[in-house]
Amino acid sequence: MNAKLSAGLLVTALLVTGCGGSGGGSDSAAPKVGLITKTETNPFFVKMKEGAQKAAQAGGMELMSAAGKFDGDNAAQITAIENMVAAGVKGILITPSDTKAIVPAIKKARDAGVLVIALDTPTEPQEATDALFATDNLKAGELIGQYAKAAMAGKPAKIATLDLAPGITVGKLRHDGFLKGFGIQEGDPSVVCSQDTRGDQAKGQTAMENCLQKAPDINLVYTINEPAALGAYTALKAKGREKEVLIVSVDGGCTGVKAVQSGQIAATSQQYPLKMAEDGVKAVASYAKGGQKPSGYTDTGVTLITDKAADGVEAEDTAFGLANCWG
């Protein structure tokens, strides 16, 4: 999540999924589809890759996959697009690390006749890709904002927002959704501290420590994802305040759902990366076979997960969350 990498540091793997099921060789006639994620280590993207592999195998396609070394590695994603276009892919699925800086590379791919679908994170502008398959991140934030408002039961809120990073669409949408769901606007005095975490647990802990120094009476924490939430919980526990502060988050990974089950996180909005990738590969397969292009935005779903239901907020419990989680 920091410096640019040279093209040589690009983590690229060619995953072969032939029709014959042996997996040992490639059918040269099989259409190729590319998947480019932000990293290969994040469980969210591991599950996304699993979904792409499954769908590619079922559709008789050959899957190429690539990822950067860190979230924000735009240079690696550009190189991956160029490599995949050169390899003759029919379509590319991408979770853009830099939603604006990646657009020129996507345009070149589309100009070359390659279908480009954004997964999870829209580009800026969204129309830079042919289609978007993603969670409604504004709704995901809104759900936990509504939950937090109900759970606070009229108690005055002292809110810390542990966000992603400037300029990343998914982070802004979740943040804005939380504010909307809670019924406040940007700049509201109830938000006493805001820090960026890049979705990292250690950075989430540091951010929470900084916020507690600034405003020791914080009683509600919104986090961009569950690693940041667990970092915040660690910082609160060190101060003996973990039972006094409500933490809400977004993602729905298995670790996060278990943290809801144990009471470390009050609620989270669950999204479905496997479905994003499966639907994306199927769309590329249809395009490769018949020329039909997907367009616009396809909502792949979001569900509030909590074991402490709040009045007026629709939710599922952690049993549902664990049955549908990833990671």
Side-chain angles (χ1 to χ4, degrees), residues 91-163:
I92 294 172
L93 313 174
I94 183 168
T95 60
S97 281
D98 189 316
T99 53
K100 291 181 180 178
I102 198 66
V103 167
I106 290 173
K107 184 179 186 303
K108 287 181 182 178
R110 293 178 72 191
D111 288 347
V114 176
L115 177 72
V116 182
I117 298 173
L119 302 181
D120 179 56
T121 306
T123 51
E124 294 183 70
Q126 184 176 312
E127 295 74 25
T129 56
D130 290 287
L132 169 67
F133 290 73
T135 306
D136 184 338
N137 281 293
L138 186 72
K139 182 179 178 182
E142 193 171 351
L143 282 172
I144 59 169
Q146 291 171 346
Y147 176 85
K149 183 70 171 180
M152 291 296 286
K155 183 179 179 181
K158 300 288 185 180
I159 305 169
T161 68
L162 303 192
D163 298 303

Short mmCIF file of all heavy atoms in Angstrom, two decimals, residues 91-163:
data_model
loop_
_atom_site.label_atom_id
_atom_site.label_comp_id
_atom_site.label_asym_id
_atom_site.label_seq_id
_atom_site.Cartn_x
_atom_site.Cartn_y
_atom_site.Cartn_z
N GLY A 91 -11.79 -11.07 -22.41
CA GLY A 91 -12.27 -10.13 -21.40
C GLY A 91 -11.36 -10.09 -20.20
O GLY A 91 -10.62 -11.04 -19.93
N ILE A 92 -11.40 -8.97 -19.48
CA ILE A 92 -10.61 -8.79 -18.26
C ILE A 92 -11.55 -8.37 -17.14
O ILE A 92 -12.37 -7.45 -17.30
CB ILE A 92 -9.52 -7.72 -18.45
CG1 ILE A 92 -8.46 -8.19 -19.46
CG2 ILE A 92 -8.85 -7.38 -17.11
CD1 ILE A 92 -7.45 -7.12 -19.83
N LEU A 93 -11.43 -9.04 -16.00
CA LEU A 93 -12.13 -8.66 -14.78
C LEU A 93 -11.11 -7.99 -13.88
O LEU A 93 -10.03 -8.55 -13.65
CB LEU A 93 -12.72 -9.89 -14.08
CG LEU A 93 -13.48 -10.88 -14.96
CD1 LEU A 93 -13.87 -12.11 -14.15
CD2 LEU A 93 -14.71 -10.23 -15.58
N ILE A 94 -11.42 -6.83 -13.34
CA ILE A 94 -10.43 -6.10 -12.55
C ILE A 94 -11.05 -5.44 -11.33
O ILE A 94 -12.14 -4.89 -11.40
CB ILE A 94 -9.69 -5.04 -13.42
CG1 ILE A 94 -8.59 -4.32 -12.61
CG2 ILE A 94 -10.67 -4.04 -14.04
CD1 ILE A 94 -7.64 -3.49 -13.45
N THR A 95 -10.34 -5.53 -10.21
CA THR A 95 -10.66 -4.73 -9.02
C THR A 95 -9.62 -3.61 -8.98
O THR A 95 -8.50 -3.81 -8.52
CB THR A 95 -10.60 -5.57 -7.73
OG1 THR A 95 -9.29 -6.11 -7.57
CG2 THR A 95 -11.60 -6.70 -7.78
N PRO A 96 -9.95 -2.45 -9.50
CA PRO A 96 -8.93 -1.40 -9.66
C PRO A 96 -8.39 -0.87 -8.34
O PRO A 96 -9.14 -0.52 -7.45
CB PRO A 96 -9.68 -0.31 -10.44
CG PRO A 96 -11.13 -0.57 -10.18
CD PRO A 96 -11.27 -2.04 -10.00
N SER A 97 -7.06 -0.82 -8.26
CA SER A 97 -6.42 -0.27 -7.07
C SER A 97 -6.50 1.25 -7.04
O SER A 97 -6.76 1.85 -6.01
CB SER A 97 -4.95 -0.70 -7.01
OG SER A 97 -4.84 -2.03 -6.55
N ASP A 98 -6.25 1.86 -8.18
CA ASP A 98 -6.38 3.31 -8.32
C ASP A 98 -7.47 3.54 -9.36
O ASP A 98 -7.25 3.34 -10.56
CB ASP A 98 -5.07 3.95 -8.75
CG ASP A 98 -5.11 5.47 -8.70
OD1 ASP A 98 -6.13 6.04 -9.15
OD2 ASP A 98 -4.14 6.09 -8.24
N THR A 99 -8.63 3.96 -8.91
CA THR A 99 -9.80 3.98 -9.77
C THR A 99 -9.73 5.00 -10.91
O THR A 99 -10.47 4.89 -11.89
CB THR A 99 -11.06 4.24 -8.93
OG1 THR A 99 -10.87 5.42 -8.13
CG2 THR A 99 -11.35 3.06 -8.02
N LYS A 100 -8.87 6.00 -10.78
CA LYS A 100 -8.70 6.99 -11.84
C LYS A 100 -7.48 6.68 -12.72
O LYS A 100 -7.55 6.74 -13.95
CB LYS A 100 -8.55 8.39 -11.24
CG LYS A 100 -9.82 8.92 -10.59
CD LYS A 100 -9.61 10.33 -10.05
CE LYS A 100 -10.87 10.88 -9.40
NZ LYS A 100 -10.66 12.24 -8.83
N ALA A 101 -6.37 6.35 -12.08
CA ALA A 101 -5.12 6.17 -12.83
C ALA A 101 -5.14 4.96 -13.75
O ALA A 101 -4.38 4.89 -14.72
CB ALA A 101 -3.94 6.06 -11.85
N ILE A 102 -6.01 3.98 -13.48
CA ILE A 102 -6.07 2.77 -14.30
C ILE A 102 -6.88 2.98 -15.58
O ILE A 102 -6.78 2.18 -16.52
CB ILE A 102 -6.69 1.60 -13.48
CG1 ILE A 102 -6.38 0.24 -14.13
CG2 ILE A 102 -8.19 1.79 -13.32
CD1 ILE A 102 -4.93 -0.13 -14.12
N VAL A 103 -7.64 4.07 -15.67
CA VAL A 103 -8.58 4.27 -16.78
C VAL A 103 -7.91 4.29 -18.15
O VAL A 103 -8.41 3.66 -19.09
CB VAL A 103 -9.43 5.54 -16.53
CG1 VAL A 103 -10.18 5.96 -17.80
CG2 VAL A 103 -10.41 5.29 -15.39
N PRO A 104 -6.77 4.97 -18.36
CA PRO A 104 -6.15 4.95 -19.69
C PRO A 104 -5.77 3.54 -20.16
O PRO A 104 -5.93 3.21 -21.34
CB PRO A 104 -4.91 5.84 -19.52
CG PRO A 104 -5.27 6.76 -18.40
CD PRO A 104 -6.08 5.93 -17.46
N ALA A 105 -5.28 2.72 -19.25
CA ALA A 105 -4.91 1.35 -19.61
C ALA A 105 -6.15 0.54 -19.98
O ALA A 105 -6.13 -0.27 -20.91
CB ALA A 105 -4.16 0.68 -18.46
N ILE A 106 -7.25 0.76 -19.25
CA ILE A 106 -8.51 0.08 -19.57
C ILE A 106 -9.02 0.52 -20.94
O ILE A 106 -9.50 -0.30 -21.74
CB ILE A 106 -9.56 0.35 -18.48
CG1 ILE A 106 -9.18 -0.39 -17.19
CG2 ILE A 106 -10.95 -0.06 -18.94
CD1 ILE A 106 -10.06 -0.06 -16.01
N LYS A 107 -8.89 1.80 -21.25
CA LYS A 107 -9.35 2.32 -22.54
C LYS A 107 -8.59 1.64 -23.69
O LYS A 107 -9.20 1.26 -24.71
CB LYS A 107 -9.17 3.83 -22.61
CG LYS A 107 -9.71 4.43 -23.91
CD LYS A 107 -9.55 5.94 -23.95
CE LYS A 107 -10.22 6.55 -25.19
NZ LYS A 107 -9.72 5.97 -26.46
N LYS A 108 -7.29 1.47 -23.52
CA LYS A 108 -6.49 0.81 -24.56
C LYS A 108 -6.97 -0.63 -24.77
O LYS A 108 -7.05 -1.10 -25.91
CB LYS A 108 -5.01 0.82 -24.17
CG LYS A 108 -4.34 2.18 -24.28
CD LYS A 108 -2.87 2.09 -23.90
CE LYS A 108 -2.21 3.46 -23.96
NZ LYS A 108 -0.78 3.38 -23.56
N ALA A 109 -7.28 -1.31 -23.68
CA ALA A 109 -7.76 -2.68 -23.79
C ALA A 109 -9.10 -2.74 -24.50
O ALA A 109 -9.32 -3.57 -25.40
CB ALA A 109 -7.88 -3.31 -22.40
N ARG A 110 -10.00 -1.85 -24.16
CA ARG A 110 -11.32 -1.82 -24.80
C ARG A 110 -11.21 -1.44 -26.27
O ARG A 110 -11.93 -1.98 -27.13
CB ARG A 110 -12.25 -0.86 -24.06
CG ARG A 110 -12.60 -1.32 -22.65
CD ARG A 110 -13.48 -0.30 -21.94
NE ARG A 110 -14.84 -0.30 -22.49
CZ ARG A 110 -15.75 0.63 -22.21
NH1 ARG A 110 -15.43 1.64 -21.38
NH2 ARG A 110 -16.95 0.57 -22.75
N ASP A 111 -10.29 -0.52 -26.57
CA ASP A 111 -10.07 -0.13 -27.97
C ASP A 111 -9.56 -1.31 -28.79
O ASP A 111 -9.76 -1.36 -30.01
CB ASP A 111 -9.07 1.03 -28.05
CG ASP A 111 -9.67 2.36 -27.57
OD1 ASP A 111 -10.91 2.43 -27.42
OD2 ASP A 111 -8.90 3.30 -27.34
N ALA A 112 -8.89 -2.25 -28.11
CA ALA A 112 -8.38 -3.44 -28.78
C ALA A 112 -9.44 -4.55 -28.87
O ALA A 112 -9.14 -5.66 -29.32
CB ALA A 112 -7.15 -3.96 -28.05
N GLY A 113 -10.66 -4.25 -28.43
CA GLY A 113 -11.74 -5.22 -28.53
C GLY A 113 -11.92 -6.12 -27.33
O GLY A 113 -12.67 -7.10 -27.38
N VAL A 114 -11.24 -5.81 -26.23
CA VAL A 114 -11.34 -6.62 -25.01
C VAL A 114 -12.46 -6.08 -24.13
O VAL A 114 -12.53 -4.87 -23.86
CB VAL A 114 -10.00 -6.61 -24.23
CG1 VAL A 114 -10.13 -7.37 -22.92
CG2 VAL A 114 -8.89 -7.21 -25.08
N LEU A 115 -13.33 -6.98 -23.67
CA LEU A 115 -14.38 -6.61 -22.73
C LEU A 115 -13.74 -6.40 -21.35
O LEU A 115 -12.96 -7.25 -20.90
CB LEU A 115 -15.41 -7.74 -22.65
CG LEU A 115 -16.55 -7.58 -21.66
CD1 LEU A 115 -17.54 -6.52 -22.13
CD2 LEU A 115 -17.27 -8.91 -21.46
N VAL A 116 -14.03 -5.30 -20.69
CA VAL A 116 -13.47 -5.03 -19.37
C VAL A 116 -14.60 -4.83 -18.36
O VAL A 116 -15.46 -3.95 -18.55
CB VAL A 116 -12.52 -3.81 -19.35
CG1 VAL A 116 -11.94 -3.61 -17.95
CG2 VAL A 116 -11.40 -3.99 -20.37
N ILE A 117 -14.58 -5.65 -17.32
CA ILE A 117 -15.60 -5.58 -16.27
C ILE A 117 -14.92 -5.28 -14.94
O ILE A 117 -13.97 -5.97 -14.56
CB ILE A 117 -16.37 -6.91 -16.15
CG1 ILE A 117 -17.11 -7.21 -17.46
CG2 ILE A 117 -17.34 -6.88 -14.98
CD1 ILE A 117 -17.76 -8.59 -17.48
N ALA A 118 -15.37 -4.26 -14.24
CA ALA A 118 -14.87 -3.97 -12.89
C ALA A 118 -15.61 -4.85 -11.89
O ALA A 118 -16.84 -5.01 -11.98
CB ALA A 118 -15.06 -2.51 -12.55
N LEU A 119 -14.87 -5.42 -10.96
CA LEU A 119 -15.46 -6.19 -9.86
C LEU A 119 -15.23 -5.43 -8.55
O LEU A 119 -14.14 -4.92 -8.32
CB LEU A 119 -14.81 -7.58 -9.75
CG LEU A 119 -14.86 -8.49 -10.97
CD1 LEU A 119 -14.19 -9.83 -10.65
CD2 LEU A 119 -16.29 -8.72 -11.44
N ASP A 120 -16.25 -5.35 -7.73
CA ASP A 120 -16.17 -4.79 -6.37
C ASP A 120 -16.00 -3.28 -6.34
O ASP A 120 -16.71 -2.59 -5.62
CB ASP A 120 -15.03 -5.46 -5.57
CG ASP A 120 -14.89 -4.90 -4.17
OD1 ASP A 120 -15.90 -4.92 -3.44
OD2 ASP A 120 -13.80 -4.44 -3.81
N THR A 121 -15.04 -2.75 -7.10
CA THR A 121 -14.70 -1.33 -7.03
C THR A 121 -14.91 -0.66 -8.38
O THR A 121 -14.24 -1.04 -9.35
CB THR A 121 -13.23 -1.14 -6.61
OG1 THR A 121 -12.99 -1.84 -5.38
CG2 THR A 121 -12.89 0.32 -6.43
N PRO A 122 -15.81 0.30 -8.50
CA PRO A 122 -15.99 0.98 -9.79
C PRO A 122 -14.83 1.89 -10.12
O PRO A 122 -14.18 2.44 -9.23
CB PRO A 122 -17.28 1.79 -9.58
CG PRO A 122 -17.38 2.00 -8.11
CD PRO A 122 -16.76 0.79 -7.47
N THR A 123 -14.58 2.05 -11.40
CA THR A 123 -13.60 3.02 -11.85
C THR A 123 -14.21 4.42 -11.77
O THR A 123 -15.42 4.58 -11.57
CB THR A 123 -13.17 2.74 -13.29
OG1 THR A 123 -14.35 2.61 -14.10
CG2 THR A 123 -12.34 1.47 -13.38
N GLU A 124 -13.37 5.43 -11.94
CA GLU A 124 -13.85 6.81 -12.01
C GLU A 124 -13.44 7.40 -13.36
O GLU A 124 -12.27 7.62 -13.59
CB GLU A 124 -13.26 7.64 -10.88
CG GLU A 124 -13.73 7.24 -9.50
CD GLU A 124 -13.17 8.15 -8.44
OE1 GLU A 124 -13.60 9.32 -8.39
OE2 GLU A 124 -12.32 7.71 -7.67
N PRO A 125 -14.40 7.57 -14.29
CA PRO A 125 -15.84 7.35 -14.12
C PRO A 125 -16.19 5.87 -14.24
O PRO A 125 -15.42 5.08 -14.79
CB PRO A 125 -16.44 8.14 -15.29
CG PRO A 125 -15.41 8.04 -16.36
CD PRO A 125 -14.09 8.11 -15.63
N GLN A 126 -17.35 5.51 -13.74
CA GLN A 126 -17.78 4.11 -13.79
C GLN A 126 -17.87 3.61 -15.23
O GLN A 126 -17.62 2.44 -15.51
CB GLN A 126 -19.14 3.97 -13.10
CG GLN A 126 -19.65 2.53 -13.01
CD GLN A 126 -20.95 2.43 -12.23
OE1 GLN A 126 -21.06 2.98 -11.14
NE2 GLN A 126 -21.93 1.75 -12.79
N GLU A 127 -18.20 4.52 -16.17
CA GLU A 127 -18.37 4.16 -17.57
C GLU A 127 -17.06 3.82 -18.27
O GLU A 127 -17.05 3.44 -19.44
CB GLU A 127 -19.06 5.30 -18.33
CG GLU A 127 -20.48 5.58 -17.88
CD GLU A 127 -20.55 6.28 -16.53
OE1 GLU A 127 -19.58 6.97 -16.15
OE2 GLU A 127 -21.57 6.10 -15.83
N ALA A 128 -15.94 3.92 -17.56
CA ALA A 128 -14.64 3.55 -18.15
C ALA A 128 -14.55 2.06 -18.42
O ALA A 128 -13.74 1.61 -19.24
CB ALA A 128 -13.49 3.98 -17.25
N THR A 129 -15.38 1.25 -17.73
CA THR A 129 -15.45 -0.18 -18.01
C THR A 129 -16.78 -0.48 -18.70
O THR A 129 -17.72 0.31 -18.66
CB THR A 129 -15.35 -1.01 -16.72
OG1 THR A 129 -16.37 -0.59 -15.80
CG2 THR A 129 -13.99 -0.84 -16.08
N ASP A 130 -16.85 -1.65 -19.33
CA ASP A 130 -18.10 -2.03 -20.00
C ASP A 130 -19.21 -2.29 -18.98
O ASP A 130 -20.38 -2.04 -19.27
CB ASP A 130 -17.87 -3.29 -20.84
CG ASP A 130 -17.00 -3.01 -22.06
OD1 ASP A 130 -17.49 -2.37 -23.00
OD2 ASP A 130 -15.82 -3.41 -22.05
N ALA A 131 -18.84 -2.83 -17.82
CA ALA A 131 -19.84 -3.18 -16.82
C ALA A 131 -19.19 -3.23 -15.44
O ALA A 131 -17.96 -3.25 -15.31
CB ALA A 131 -20.48 -4.52 -17.15
N LEU A 132 -20.03 -3.25 -14.42
CA LEU A 132 -19.59 -3.34 -13.02
C LEU A 132 -20.41 -4.40 -12.32
O LEU A 132 -21.65 -4.37 -12.35
CB LEU A 132 -19.77 -1.99 -12.32
CG LEU A 132 -19.61 -1.97 -10.79
CD1 LEU A 132 -18.17 -2.26 -10.40
CD2 LEU A 132 -20.06 -0.62 -10.23
N PHE A 133 -19.72 -5.38 -11.72
CA PHE A 133 -20.37 -6.39 -10.87
C PHE A 133 -19.84 -6.16 -9.46
O PHE A 133 -18.66 -6.38 -9.19
CB PHE A 133 -20.01 -7.81 -11.34
CG PHE A 133 -20.62 -8.19 -12.65
CD1 PHE A 133 -20.16 -7.66 -13.84
CD2 PHE A 133 -21.65 -9.10 -12.70
CE1 PHE A 133 -20.72 -8.01 -15.05
CE2 PHE A 133 -22.23 -9.48 -13.90
CZ PHE A 133 -21.76 -8.92 -15.10
N ALA A 134 -20.70 -5.71 -8.55
CA ALA A 134 -20.19 -5.29 -7.24
C ALA A 134 -21.28 -5.21 -6.19
O ALA A 134 -22.47 -5.13 -6.50
CB ALA A 134 -19.53 -3.91 -7.37
N THR A 135 -20.83 -5.21 -4.95
CA THR A 135 -21.68 -4.85 -3.83
C THR A 135 -22.11 -3.39 -3.99
O THR A 135 -21.34 -2.56 -4.48
CB THR A 135 -20.87 -4.96 -2.52
OG1 THR A 135 -20.30 -6.25 -2.42
CG2 THR A 135 -21.73 -4.68 -1.31
N ASP A 136 -23.31 -3.09 -3.56
CA ASP A 136 -23.72 -1.69 -3.44
C ASP A 136 -23.07 -1.17 -2.16
O ASP A 136 -23.61 -1.33 -1.06
CB ASP A 136 -25.24 -1.60 -3.37
CG ASP A 136 -25.74 -0.17 -3.33
OD1 ASP A 136 -24.96 0.73 -2.95
OD2 ASP A 136 -26.93 0.05 -3.64
N ASN A 137 -21.87 -0.60 -2.30
CA ASN A 137 -21.10 -0.19 -1.13
C ASN A 137 -21.75 0.95 -0.36
O ASN A 137 -21.58 1.05 0.86
CB ASN A 137 -19.67 0.16 -1.53
CG ASN A 137 -18.82 -1.06 -1.73
OD1 ASN A 137 -18.52 -1.79 -0.78
ND2 ASN A 137 -18.43 -1.33 -2.97
N LEU A 138 -22.50 1.80 -1.05
CA LEU A 138 -23.25 2.84 -0.35
C LEU A 138 -24.29 2.18 0.56
O LEU A 138 -24.45 2.56 1.72
CB LEU A 138 -23.93 3.78 -1.35
CG LEU A 138 -24.62 4.99 -0.72
CD1 LEU A 138 -23.60 5.99 -0.21
CD2 LEU A 138 -25.55 5.66 -1.74
N LYS A 139 -24.99 1.17 0.03
CA LYS A 139 -25.99 0.45 0.83
C LYS A 139 -25.33 -0.30 1.98
O LYS A 139 -25.87 -0.35 3.10
CB LYS A 139 -26.76 -0.52 -0.05
CG LYS A 139 -27.85 -1.28 0.70
CD LYS A 139 -28.60 -2.23 -0.22
CE LYS A 139 -29.65 -3.01 0.56
NZ LYS A 139 -30.36 -3.99 -0.31
N ALA A 140 -24.16 -0.89 1.74
CA ALA A 140 -23.45 -1.61 2.80
C ALA A 140 -23.15 -0.68 3.97
O ALA A 140 -23.36 -1.03 5.15
CB ALA A 140 -22.15 -2.21 2.26
N GLY A 141 -22.68 0.51 3.66
CA GLY A 141 -22.43 1.50 4.71
C GLY A 141 -23.71 1.97 5.37
O GLY A 141 -23.77 2.16 6.59
N GLU A 142 -24.75 2.15 4.54
CA GLU A 142 -26.02 2.63 5.07
C GLU A 142 -26.61 1.63 6.07
O GLU A 142 -27.16 2.02 7.11
CB GLU A 142 -26.99 2.87 3.92
CG GLU A 142 -28.23 3.64 4.29
CD GLU A 142 -29.06 4.04 3.09
OE1 GLU A 142 -28.60 3.87 1.95
OE2 GLU A 142 -30.20 4.51 3.31
N LEU A 143 -26.51 0.35 5.76
CA LEU A 143 -27.04 -0.68 6.66
C LEU A 143 -26.39 -0.62 8.05
O LEU A 143 -27.08 -0.67 9.07
CB LEU A 143 -26.83 -2.07 6.06
CG LEU A 143 -27.79 -2.49 4.95
CD1 LEU A 143 -27.33 -3.81 4.33
CD2 LEU A 143 -29.21 -2.63 5.50
N ILE A 144 -25.06 -0.49 8.08
CA ILE A 144 -24.42 -0.46 9.40
C ILE A 144 -24.62 0.88 10.09
O ILE A 144 -24.62 0.96 11.32
CB ILE A 144 -22.92 -0.84 9.35
CG1 ILE A 144 -22.13 0.09 8.43
CG2 ILE A 144 -22.74 -2.30 8.96
CD1 ILE A 144 -20.62 -0.08 8.56
N GLY A 145 -24.84 1.94 9.29
CA GLY A 145 -25.18 3.23 9.89
C GLY A 145 -26.55 3.18 10.55
O GLY A 145 -26.74 3.68 11.67
N GLN A 146 -27.52 2.56 9.86
CA GLN A 146 -28.85 2.40 10.43
C GLN A 146 -28.80 1.54 11.70
O GLN A 146 -29.47 1.85 12.70
CB GLN A 146 -29.78 1.75 9.40
CG GLN A 146 -30.12 2.64 8.23
CD GLN A 146 -30.85 1.89 7.13
OE1 GLN A 146 -30.89 0.66 7.12
NE2 GLN A 146 -31.41 2.62 6.18
N TYR A 147 -28.02 0.48 11.62
CA TYR A 147 -27.90 -0.40 12.79
C TYR A 147 -27.29 0.36 13.97
O TYR A 147 -27.78 0.28 15.10
CB TYR A 147 -27.02 -1.61 12.45
CG TYR A 147 -26.77 -2.49 13.65
CD1 TYR A 147 -27.68 -3.48 14.01
CD2 TYR A 147 -25.64 -2.31 14.46
CE1 TYR A 147 -27.47 -4.27 15.13
CE2 TYR A 147 -25.43 -3.09 15.58
CZ TYR A 147 -26.35 -4.07 15.91
OH TYR A 147 -26.14 -4.83 17.04
N ALA A 148 -26.21 1.10 13.70
CA ALA A 148 -25.53 1.84 14.77
C ALA A 148 -26.48 2.86 15.41
O ALA A 148 -26.50 3.00 16.64
CB ALA A 148 -24.29 2.53 14.23
N LYS A 149 -27.26 3.54 14.58
CA LYS A 149 -28.21 4.54 15.11
C LYS A 149 -29.22 3.87 16.04
O LYS A 149 -29.50 4.36 17.14
CB LYS A 149 -28.94 5.22 13.95
CG LYS A 149 -29.89 6.33 14.37
CD LYS A 149 -29.12 7.54 14.88
CE LYS A 149 -30.06 8.73 15.09
NZ LYS A 149 -29.33 9.91 15.59
N ALA A 150 -29.75 2.72 15.60
CA ALA A 150 -30.74 2.01 16.42
C ALA A 150 -30.10 1.45 17.69
O ALA A 150 -30.69 1.52 18.77
CB ALA A 150 -31.36 0.88 15.60
N ALA A 151 -28.89 0.91 17.55
CA ALA A 151 -28.22 0.30 18.71
C ALA A 151 -27.82 1.34 19.76
O ALA A 151 -27.77 1.03 20.96
CB ALA A 151 -26.99 -0.48 18.24
N MET A 152 -27.53 2.56 19.33
CA MET A 152 -27.18 3.61 20.28
C MET A 152 -28.39 4.06 21.10
O MET A 152 -28.23 4.65 22.17
CB MET A 152 -26.57 4.81 19.54
CG MET A 152 -25.20 4.54 18.93
SD MET A 152 -23.91 4.18 20.14
CE MET A 152 -23.62 5.82 20.82
N ALA A 153 -29.59 3.78 20.60
CA ALA A 153 -30.85 4.00 21.35
C ALA A 153 -30.96 5.41 21.95
O ALA A 153 -31.33 5.59 23.11
CB ALA A 153 -30.99 2.96 22.45
N GLY A 154 -30.60 6.41 21.15
CA GLY A 154 -30.74 7.78 21.58
C GLY A 154 -29.56 8.34 22.36
O GLY A 154 -29.52 9.54 22.68
N LYS A 155 -28.58 7.51 22.68
CA LYS A 155 -27.40 7.98 23.41
C LYS A 155 -26.57 8.88 22.50
O LYS A 155 -26.33 8.54 21.34
CB LYS A 155 -26.57 6.78 23.85
CG LYS A 155 -25.36 7.12 24.68
CD LYS A 155 -24.62 5.84 25.09
CE LYS A 155 -23.37 6.16 25.90
NZ LYS A 155 -22.64 4.92 26.29
N PRO A 156 -26.12 10.04 22.97
CA PRO A 156 -25.30 10.91 22.14
C PRO A 156 -24.05 10.19 21.64
O PRO A 156 -23.34 9.54 22.42
CB PRO A 156 -24.94 12.07 23.07
CG PRO A 156 -26.02 12.07 24.10
CD PRO A 156 -26.39 10.64 24.29
N ALA A 157 -23.80 10.28 20.35
CA ALA A 157 -22.69 9.54 19.74
C ALA A 157 -21.43 10.39 19.66
O ALA A 157 -21.47 11.58 19.33
CB ALA A 157 -23.08 9.08 18.34
N LYS A 158 -20.32 9.75 19.97
CA LYS A 158 -18.98 10.29 19.74
C LYS A 158 -18.31 9.31 18.80
O LYS A 158 -17.87 8.23 19.21
CB LYS A 158 -18.21 10.42 21.05
CG LYS A 158 -18.86 11.33 22.09
CD LYS A 158 -18.74 12.79 21.69
CE LYS A 158 -19.27 13.72 22.79
NZ LYS A 158 -19.16 15.14 22.40
N ILE A 159 -18.26 9.67 17.52
CA ILE A 159 -17.94 8.71 16.47
C ILE A 159 -16.51 8.87 15.96
O ILE A 159 -16.04 9.98 15.70
CB ILE A 159 -18.90 8.89 15.27
CG1 ILE A 159 -20.36 8.77 15.73
CG2 ILE A 159 -18.60 7.87 14.18
CD1 ILE A 159 -21.37 9.19 14.67
N ALA A 160 -15.85 7.71 15.79
CA ALA A 160 -14.58 7.65 15.06
C ALA A 160 -14.84 6.91 13.76
O ALA A 160 -15.45 5.84 13.75
CB ALA A 160 -13.52 6.93 15.87
N THR A 161 -14.40 7.47 12.64
CA THR A 161 -14.49 6.77 11.37
C THR A 161 -13.07 6.34 10.96
O THR A 161 -12.19 7.19 10.81
CB THR A 161 -15.13 7.63 10.26
OG1 THR A 161 -14.27 8.71 9.91
CG2 THR A 161 -16.48 8.17 10.71
N LEU A 162 -12.89 5.05 10.82
CA LEU A 162 -11.60 4.51 10.38
C LEU A 162 -11.77 4.12 8.92
O LEU A 162 -12.31 3.06 8.59
CB LEU A 162 -11.19 3.31 11.25
CG LEU A 162 -11.09 3.58 12.75
CD1 LEU A 162 -10.39 2.42 13.46
CD2 LEU A 162 -10.37 4.90 13.05
N ASP A 163 -11.30 4.98 8.05
CA ASP A 163 -11.59 4.90 6.63
C ASP A 163 -10.50 4.17 5.85
O ASP A 163 -9.57 3.61 6.43
CB ASP A 163 -11.80 6.31 6.09
CG ASP A 163 -13.00 7.00 6.75
OD1 ASP A 163 -14.10 6.45 6.67
OD2 ASP A 163 -12.83 8.09 7.34
#
